[in-house]
Amino acid sequence: MRRTIIGVIGSGECSKEIATTAMEVGREIARKGGLLLCGGLGGVMEAACKGAKEEGGITIGILPGDNTDEANRYIDIPIVTGIGYARNIIIAKSSDILIAVSGGYGTLSEIAFGLTLNKRIISIGSWELDESIIRVSTPKEAVEKAFGILSEV
């Protein structure tokens, strides 16, 4: 049986507060049995992966470079691409749904790719482009909403 892949997107550098939010997103994904897919580097990505690992989850990192050593220490499955930010399309396409935690322009590109691919986007303090992005306040709400949406499909 195929497991749900939740893409967690956000900046490679973030505040402690945003890292705490991302860690809880990762924990919730793991508690629900989802696979966490991200860009594999630091900041939001590393914090979400750390949270997932604390709950026994599995993490996948789509890396921009050519070396698996670039992955944060919480990545179980590092996938090197050698294509820089162009990897963002792979993250969007490979995810069943995306959860954006804060984020900069790289996150914005992942959101744009997700919307283009008709993926649902859940935002915790991230870009507010239009009404198609689902805004939530807490990590638990984000993950529950994600699994709820996917169970309807």
Side-chain angles (χ1 to χ4, degrees), residues 39-117:
L41 300 178
V44 165
M45 298 168 278
E46 184 171 15
C49 290
K50 180 180 181 188
K53 296 310 302 170
E54 288 175 354
E55 292 294 324
I58 297 172
T59 60
I60 305 162
I62 308 297
L63 301 167
D66 295 317
N67 190 336
T68 58
D69 291 340
E70 296 172 352
N72 72 61
R73 63 185 170 187
Y74 304 105
I75 292 291
D76 293 311
I77 304 167
I79 299 172
V80 297
T81 65
I83 59 174
Y85 282 115
R87 85 185 193 289
N88 292 353
I89 186 90
I90 297 169
I91 294 166
K93 190 142 181 89
S94 297
S95 299
D96 295 316
I97 196 163
L98 295 161
I99 298 175
V101 180
S102 189
Y105 293 127
T107 307
L108 177 59
S109 76
E110 290 165 309
I111 290 170
F113 286 134
L115 292 172
T116 300
L117 296 165

